Amino acid sequence: MKPIKLTISAFGPYAGTQVIDFTELGERTFFLIHGPTGSGKTTILDAICFALYGDTSGAERKGEQMRSGHADLTEPTEITFDFAIGADTYRILRFPEQERPKKRGEGTTIMTANATLWKRTGVTDDAEEGAVLAVGWNKVTEVVEQLLGFKSSQFRQVVMLPQGDFRRLLTADSKERQAIMEILFRTEFYRRIEESLKESAKKLQAEIEQLKHQKTWVLQNAGAETREELEQQYRANLEQQAEVQKTIEKCRAALKEAQDRLEAGRQVREKLKEKEGAEKALKELEQNAGEIETKRAELTRANRAAGLADAENLLKTRQQEADNAATHLENKKFVKNEAESACENAAKVLAEEEEKGPEREAAGLKVAQLDALSEKVAALAGANQAVSDAEKKVNEAETRQRNAQDSLDAVRKSIEEKSAAFAEAKTTADQAAALESACRTAEEAAAKRQSLEKFRRDLAAARKSYTLAENKHRQAEARHNAAREELAVLQEQWNKGQAAILAGGLTRGEPCPVCGSPDHPHPAAPGAGLPSEADLKSRRQAVIDLEAALSKARDEFSDIKTVKSTAQSRTEDLEKELGENAHIDLAFLQAKAGKARGLWSEARQAAGTVSALEDAVKKLKEREEAAGRQLEVCKKEYQKAYTELETARAVLRERELSVPENLRDAAALSKARLEARQKRDKLMANYETAKKAADAAKQALAAAAAAENEALANWQAALTLAENEMRSFQKRLESACFDSLKEYREARKTPEEIQKTEKEIKGFDESLHAARDRLARATGAAEGLAEPDLDKLALEAAETKEEHDQLLIKEGRLQTQVKEGDRSLKKLQELEGQLKGLEDRYLVFGRISEVANGRNKYGLTFQRFVLGALLDDVTIAATERLKLMSRGRYHLQRTTELARRNAAGGLDLEVFDTYTGAARNVATLSGGETFLASLSLALGLADVVQSYSGGIHLDTIFVDEGFGTLDPESLDFAMRALIDLQKGGRLVGIISHVPELKERIDARLEVQPTDRGSVAGFRVV
């Protein structure tokens, strides 16, 4: 990082705006920040730290505590800092939370803290900001940490060395120094290797434990403690199963014989039961014969009674006719009595109506009086209409007056709204630049989050493919190893078999083709299963094929592993870039970006409406004047209409005196006239109706008396016919041998009952015949048979079947145990093979992981080992300067000894003293010596970081301590070391009160205090 320009406003002792342009140094890379105590020298470094990280160089104060006491309340506290990292340039604007005057009205308000970061690479116009990288206090700090590679505390140990922090890099422990160097040299890759090795070893160990648990579970499930015990159980179950199967065959034959005997006994029992049942059925039928004979006699009587049905029906008809005539006679008598009562009532009503003659005359007079009021009510209605018209005019005038007032109020309200909208639009338009920056930042975050979502999906797919490829590679490797082992065994068998083949062709006395001896005392004998050369060739080809498959699987696994690593690396990079946004829902970020764009769009629209709103306010004020004039006109019209209304009301009151109050309304009068006419007409109608009703009642009474006489004659004739028919029916009963009507009715049956009785008698006769035939057949079938002992036969069959079933159950249980045993043995063999392979791998991976993660006598992790080598380079570069500054006395070097057993090691420093020939802790150095060693370490670290490709740019260093502790000679050596930095092009800034430095350094940033704050500027001698 190299500073370009720093602009301070109302910060620290600087009341106004102070611009510090570092380009004024030209080619100089060494300058002194000079000024008296309290002038604000350190504030320059505070401002740079505040701009980058939001805190000061000493970190004791926050930015809002650094506001200048000399500044006016209207002047904001803010810092703009332009700086370069390599070839790229950037600008930061940051202002803390502070109090400022309100834009409208009196008083103050709180302006919240904010910051913006732009990238300005290629931008030449100082007024142009560049591309927005981040907006927001914390967001800008995060992006700065990514760009510089430092957090605030690490920046103050490596780049900006304020009082109190200068020696921390030298005296830090291994753990703290590791955090700094890991960022400087970007060695997180080695830490990921440690984690990957640890995870692989942990995964292998978990798989081994899982297989051991599975092996234990297989044995426990089989009820054995060892593999040998499981094999013994398996062989014992096989032998027992064979014995049980032989016993089952014998028991099956005995069971068939017992079941045959039981079935024969059951057949004898059925024949004997059939004979017994036939005898019982015949006996029951013979017992019911008497009842059937009784039903035969009842059927005969019922047939005789059926012949008298027509005479009985005719008798019932004549009797019903006589009953109907009697009922008709009673009805006519009732009608006559009702007619007599109605005639009396009608005469009474007529007499009452004749008495109402005076009332009818009064009703006619009332109608005439009401007709005479019609003209007066019409005149009164005219007066009412005049009042109504006048009231309408008053209401209309009042409405126009109110509308005019409302229009005036609306115009005034619109003026207020438009004025407020104008002020708001102007405020919003002023925020357009900041909102644009926020919009671009939000859209960039949403785009990166969307890319992260894609890479996460790719990573998930890659991990799945990685697992499948890994399993495929492992299986191919296992098949290849198995095939090689089989080939080795086959090759060995084939080699041994060649000796047997040669021995088969030996002849006693003839020399051996191998050794040449004519004696053959122990010729090789051929073994069983000697492989042929074709078998050997086939097995070799199989191994070659499996090697090709293994190579292909290995390549596929490697490719997928690369894809997975790439996806994981890209995912991690995006997550690091996004920070906390990496875990926020994509839809939320997109909505946030949309909202930011909407706000930006509103700001741009507001900028275009400011002028229009200002014109609208002017036009509304013109409308306000016109509305005021219209309101005055409407008030005069209302006063005139109100006067006319009062005149019409006076006329109305005069005419109301001549008409009764309840009849002043035309509708009320019309209703009263209608009611009077209705009453008169009703009285007249009631009288006429009563006269007609009396005449009609007299005629109805005469007709009812004639009808009664006719009904009496008809009843007497019907009674005579019924008596004659009764005498004829009595003669028919005697002819049918019935002594009485009661005997006839008891013998009578319906046709359905007669048919049912006939069917019942016929069914009995047929059942009796069938029962006699059944008994004859059953007697013949049961002849010579004895009752069998079925219980004994059933018991024998059941016992035999029980024995057979128990044997089957036992055989099934043994069969299951044999299958389970075989399965358990195979599973156990498979698990033992897998377990051995994993344990062999763990011996390698586990040890590598332990060493890489610091479980060694030095307590060094893999990353710390790499950092140790880098620290060696740093101490070498630092020692070159320290030897010059200390006149060859001190050398910095790394020590691998652990300060504590449980502490991180490998990055501790010590100083070698050439005067004593011994190394000692850096904490034993004096104040001046510590300053020289710290300065040498900082410069050496910058040299090494710069030399590594991809390292962080350490182009600037600020020193605010230590020169006053040096003697003149040591100060001279320290200055030589700092001046040497000019060769590397680094910028070095020093804050010191030592006069010798002022004389030696020609470029100075001088700070001068005044009564209204300090001023600063470069001065080159």
Side-chain angles (χ1 to χ4, degrees):
M1 185 275 293
K2 269 192 175 181
I4 299 174
K5 186 168 69 172
L6 177 66
T7 303
I8 307 173
S9 175
F11 189 80
Y14 301 93
T17 299
Q18 183 69 49
V19 179
I20 302 172
D21 191 350
F22 287 89
T23 60
E24 294 180 11
L25 291 172
E27 298 297 324
R28 295 174 179 81
T29 60
F30 195 81
F31 70 97
L32 174 68
I33 305 177
H34 182 70
T37 302
S39 61
K41 303 185 300 300
T42 308
T43 307
I44 304 298
L45 305 186
D46 289 334
I48 293 175
C49 274
F50 174 74
L52 294 172
Y53 295 101
D55 59 19
T56 58
S57 61
E60 289 87 2
R61 291 181 292 177
K62 297 181 179 179
E64 56 267 26
Q65 298 172 334
M66 290 294 294
R67 178 169 174 81
S68 174
H70 302 289
D72 186 79
L73 187 61
T74 59
E75 184 177 4
T77 296
E78 63 181 23
I79 294 177
T80 304
F81 182 43
D82 292 2
F83 60 98
I85 301 177
D88 294 323
T89 58
Y90 302 88
R91 172 175 292 175
I92 288 180
L93 168 63
R94 193 185 289 268
F95 52 86
E97 180 180 293
Q98 55 191 290
E99 190 176 6
R100 65 169 179 82
K102 290 183 178 178
K103 294 183 178 179
R104 290 190 298 271
E106 298 180 354
T108 61
T109 186
I110 298 299
M111 182 173 65
T112 58
N114 203 354
T116 306
L117 172 65
W118 295 271
K119 185 174 183 179
R120 305 186 69 247
T121 303
V123 177
T124 57
D125 187 357
D126 188 66
E128 186 177 351
E129 302 291 358
V132 176
L133 293 183
V135 176
W137 189 272
N138 294 327
K139 183 62 179 177
V140 168
T141 302
E142 292 174 4
V143 177
V144 167
E145 289 175 353
Q146 295 172 9
L147 291 174
L148 297 181
F150 297 113
K151 293 187 178 297
S152 174
S153 59
Q154 295 160 347
F155 183 80
R156 292 195 300 273
Q157 295 181 39
V158 178
V159 177
M160 188 165 294
L161 309 175
Q163 295 181 10
D165 288 345
F166 186 68
R167 297 178 177 84
R168 289 187 182 178
L169 182 62
L170 177 69
T171 59
D173 58 16
S174 286
K175 186 175 182 181
E176 186 178 0
R177 192 172 288 111
Q178 176 182 344
I180 298 173
M181 295 184 67
E182 179 180 345
I183 295 174
L184 289 173
F185 293 100
R186 303 186 187 276
T187 58
E188 64 273 9
F189 171 74
Y190 301 100
R191 176 173 49 78
R192 288 201 294 268
I193 292 177
E194 294 172 13
E195 294 172 353
S196 177
L197 287 170
K198 186 176 181 180
E199 186 63 27
S200 298
K202 184 178 179 181
K203 182 178 179 182
L204 280 174
Q205 190 173 18
E207 291 178 359
I208 289 172
E209 290 300 321
Q210 184 180 5
L211 289 177
K212 286 182 178 179
H213 285 312
Q214 290 182 15
K215 181 180 176 183
T216 303
W217 180 85
V218 169
L219 289 171
Q220 289 177 349
N221 191 50
E225 295 184 359
T226 62
R227 179 189 182 93
E228 291 73 17
E229 184 179 348
L230 180 61
E231 291 176 345
Q232 290 176 3
Q233 290 179 0
Y234 176 69
R235 289 193 294 271
N237 288 333
L238 278 176
E239 295 173 358
Q240 193 174 1
Q241 182 185 14
E243 294 175 0
V244 170
Q245 288 174 347
K246 294 178 182 177
T247 307
I248 288 174
E249 292 299 325
K250 295 178 182 179
C251 188
R252 187 177 290 116
L255 176 61
K256 187 176 185 307
E257 293 178 1
Q259 289 175 342
D260 291 343
R261 289 195 298 271
L262 178 60
E263 182 60 28
R266 286 174 178 166
Q267 292 178 0
V268 170
R269 169 66 64 83
E270 289 297 325
K271 290 179 180 179
L272 293 174
K273 286 179 67 176
E274 174 62 17
K275 177 183 176 183
E276 182 181 352
E279 290 174 347
K280 183 178 180 181
L282 179 59
K283 185 176 179 180
E284 290 175 353
L285 287 173
E286 289 175 346
Q287 289 175 351
N288 295 331
E291 183 181 351
I292 295 300
E293 291 303 324
T294 301
K295 290 185 177 181
R296 290 184 198 275
E298 290 177 354
L299 181 62
T300 301
R301 289 196 299 275
N303 287 330
R304 290 203 307 272
L308 298 177
D310 58 337
E312 182 182 14
N313 292 335
L314 182 58
L315 175 62
K316 289 180 179 179
T317 301
R318 295 291 181 240
Q319 290 176 341
Q320 183 64 41
E321 290 173 351
D323 293 339
N324 292 339
T327 301
H328 184 63
L329 176 61
E330 292 298 324
N331 291 335
K332 292 304 179 180
K333 286 181 179 181
F334 176 78
V335 171
K336 176 186 173 185
N337 293 334
E338 290 292 321
E340 289 176 348
S341 177
C343 186
E344 293 175 358
N345 291 333
K348 184 177 179 181
V349 170
L350 178 60
E352 292 175 352
E353 290 298 325
E354 288 175 346
E355 293 177 354
K356 294 181 179 179
E359 186 177 355
R360 287 192 293 274
E361 292 178 1
L365 181 60
K366 179 71 172 177
V367 170
Q369 292 174 347
L370 291 173
D371 289 342
L373 288 175
S374 297
E375 294 181 0
K376 294 180 179 180
V377 170
L380 181 61
N384 274 322
Q385 183 62 43
V387 170
S388 177
D389 293 342
E391 288 177 344
K392 183 177 180 181
K393 290 180 180 179
V394 169
N395 291 334
E396 290 175 351
E398 185 178 10
T399 300
R400 287 193 296 273
Q401 179 181 340
R402 185 168 55 254
N403 291 339
Q405 183 67 51
D406 292 344
S407 297
L408 179 60
D409 294 341
V411 171
R412 288 173 177 172
K413 184 177 180 181
S414 296
I415 291 173
E416 293 179 2
E417 293 175 351
K418 291 293 184 181
S419 298
F422 169 73
E424 183 178 0
K426 193 171 186 310
T427 302
T428 304
D430 293 341
Q431 298 175 351
L435 291 173
E436 179 184 8
S437 174
C439 172
R440 298 191 187 282
T441 301
E443 288 178 342
E444 181 181 0
K448 287 185 178 180
R449 181 65 179 83
Q450 188 170 12
S451 299
L452 176 59
E453 197 70 22
K454 174 183 178 300
F455 279 108
R456 281 176 174 170
R457 291 195 298 268
D458 295 345
L459 179 58
R463 283 173 174 167
K464 185 176 180 181
S465 301
Y466 176 83
T467 302
L468 295 174
E470 185 180 23
N471 292 334
K472 183 177 178 181
H473 174 261
R474 189 183 298 113
Q475 292 170 1
E477 189 176 27
R479 288 194 294 269
H480 175 256
N481 292 337
R484 290 184 61 184
E485 291 176 1
E486 291 177 3
L487 177 60
V489 172
L490 200 65
Q491 183 69 47
E492 184 178 358
Q493 292 175 353
W494 189 84
N495 292 337
K496 292 180 179 179
Q498 297 308 306
I501 293 172
L502 291 174
L506 294 176
T507 304
R508 185 180 298 275
E510 294 183 2
C512 174
V514 178
C515 64
S517 173
D519 297 324
H520 315 294
H522 302 290
L530 180 65
S532 65
E533 188 172 358
D535 293 336
L536 192 61
K537 184 176 181 181
S538 174
R539 184 60 61 186
R540 286 174 180 161
Q541 185 60 43
V543 171
I544 292 172
D545 294 341
L546 288 172
E547 281 181 353
L550 175 60
S551 178
K552 181 179 179 183
R554 186 183 296 113
D555 293 342
E556 292 176 354
F557 178 53
S558 177
D559 293 342
I560 292 174
K561 186 175 181 181
T562 301
V563 171
K564 171 178 168 288
S565 177
T566 302
Q568 184 171 356
S569 176
R570 186 62 183 130
T571 301
E572 290 175 352
D573 290 343
L574 279 174
E575 287 177 345
K576 186 175 180 181
E577 291 177 17
L578 285 168
E580 62 183 13
N581 288 335
H583 307 289
I584 296 176
D585 185 62
L586 174 60
F588 175 79
L589 290 179
Q590 290 175 338
K592 183 178 178 182
K595 183 178 179 181
R597 177 161 287 280
L599 292 173
W600 180 32
S601 177
E602 291 176 2
R604 287 183 295 172
Q605 292 175 359
T609 59
V610 168
S611 177
L613 288 171
E614 189 175 9
D615 294 340
V617 171
K618 292 179 181 178
K619 291 179 180 178
L620 284 172
K621 288 183 178 179
E622 294 174 358
R623 288 176 54 191
E624 181 184 14
E625 294 177 0
R629 292 192 296 271
Q630 181 64 29
L631 177 61
E632 292 299 325
V633 173
C634 291
K635 285 181 178 180
K636 293 178 181 178
E637 291 178 353
Y638 172 76
Q639 190 63 39
K640 179 181 178 182
Y642 186 78
T643 301
E644 293 176 353
L645 173 62
E646 289 299 320
T647 302
R649 285 175 176 172
V651 174
L652 176 63
R653 286 193 294 272
E654 181 181 355
R655 292 181 179 179
E656 284 178 344
L657 297 175
S658 63
V659 179
E661 184 175 357
N662 62 326
L663 298 176
R664 291 173 182 174
D665 182 53
L669 177 63
S670 176
K671 181 179 179 182
R673 292 173 67 192
L674 178 62
E675 290 176 352
R677 287 192 186 98
Q678 288 176 346
K679 183 177 180 181
R680 181 195 64 183
D681 295 343
K682 184 177 180 182
L683 288 170
M684 296 298 296
N686 288 344
Y687 176 70
E688 294 298 328
T689 301
K691 285 177 65 178
K692 292 179 181 179
D695 295 340
K698 290 178 181 179
Q699 294 176 3
L701 178 59
E708 180 187 11
N709 293 331
E710 181 181 0
L712 177 61
N714 291 335
W715 173 71
Q716 291 172 348
L719 186 61
T720 302
L721 290 174
E723 291 174 350
N724 293 336
E725 191 62 35
M726 184 63 184
R727 287 192 291 273
S728 175
F729 183 68
Q730 289 289 343
K731 292 179 181 179
R732 292 282 298 274
L733 285 176
E734 293 174 358
S735 300
C737 300
F738 289 109
D739 296 336
S740 63
L741 180 60
K742 178 181 179 182
E743 183 180 355
Y744 160 72
R745 288 177 176 171
E746 290 177 351
R748 188 176 56 187
K749 291 182 180 291
T750 64
E752 291 80 8
E753 291 174 337
I754 292 173
Q755 185 179 3
K756 179 180 179 183
T757 303
E758 290 175 346
K759 185 175 181 182
E760 185 178 354
I761 293 171
K762 182 179 178 182
F764 175 79
D765 293 341
E766 292 175 351
S767 298
L768 182 61
H769 179 70
R772 288 170 179 167
D773 290 344
R774 175 188 173 192
L775 178 59
R777 291 193 302 272
T779 302
E783 186 176 359
L785 298 178
E787 183 70 22
D789 189 354
L790 287 181
D791 293 339
K792 180 180 180 182
L793 293 173
L795 180 60
E796 292 175 353
E799 290 175 348
T800 307
K801 188 175 187 307
E802 176 66 20
E803 181 182 0
H804 180 262
D805 292 343
Q806 291 298 324
L807 288 170
L808 288 177
I809 293 172
K810 185 176 182 180
E811 194 265 344
R813 184 169 59 250
L814 288 170
Q815 185 177 8
T816 301
Q817 291 174 352
V818 168
K819 289 182 180 179
E820 288 295 330
D822 182 60
R823 189 181 297 111
S824 297
L825 286 171
K826 290 180 179 178
K827 183 63 176 178
L828 202 61
Q829 183 178 4
E830 179 185 352
L831 292 174
E832 288 173 346
Q834 294 177 1
L835 189 60
K836 185 178 183 305
L838 289 176
E839 288 175 341
D840 292 342
R841 291 182 63 196
Y842 184 73
L843 289 175
V844 178
F845 275 95
R847 182 54 186 157
I848 294 175
S849 175
E850 289 177 356
V851 173
N853 282 276
R855 293 178 63 181
N856 50 66
K857 66 178 182 179
Y858 300 109
L860 278 175
T861 62
F862 185 32
Q863 183 187 19
R864 206 175 298 124
F865 173 78
V866 175
L867 290 175
L870 295 171
L871 184 57
D872 287 338
D873 292 344
V874 172
T875 57
I876 292 171
T879 298
E880 291 300 318
R881 289 187 170 84
L882 183 58
K883 285 193 300 183
L884 175 64
M885 295 182 193
S886 65
R887 298 177 294 280
R889 178 177 179 182
Y890 294 118
H891 297 190
L892 280 175
Q893 61 187 28
R894 182 171 63 96
T895 176
T896 57
E897 293 182 3
L898 296 177
R900 299 188 309 275
R901 180 175 298 179
N902 60 347
L907 297 180
D908 291 321
L909 292 177
E910 63 183 9
V911 62
F912 179 79
D913 191 344
T914 58
Y915 289 3
T916 63
R920 52 192 171 94
N921 194 289
V922 292
T924 62
L925 294 173
S926 65
E929 293 170 343
T930 300
F931 171 76
L932 294 177
S934 300
L935 183 60
S936 299
L937 183 62
L939 299 178
L941 182 63
D943 290 338
V944 175
V945 170
Q946 289 281 88
S947 66
Y948 278 87
S949 177
I952 296 173
H953 292 275
L954 297 179
D955 297 326
T956 303
I957 184 171
F958 294 96
V959 182
D960 182 20
E961 182 176 300
F963 292 97
T965 62
L966 302 179
D967 58 74
E969 188 176 2
S970 298
L971 177 62
D972 183 64
F973 284 117
M975 284 301 300
R976 290 183 189 179
L978 290 173
I979 293 173
D980 284 344
L981 292 178
Q982 291 181 348
K983 299 175 182 179
R986 296 192 189 92
L987 181 66
V988 180
I990 295 174
I991 297 177
S992 179
H993 299 287
V994 178
E996 289 82 352
L997 292 179
K998 183 178 179 182
E999 297 173 358
R1000 296 189 182 194
I1001 301 174
D1002 58 355
R1004 294 192 293 271
L1005 177 59
E1006 293 188 346
V1007 180
Q1008 298 294 332
T1010 70
D1011 58 350
R1012 296 298 297 167
S1014 298
V1015 293
F1018 277 106
R1019 180 168 179 266
V1020 180
V1021 181

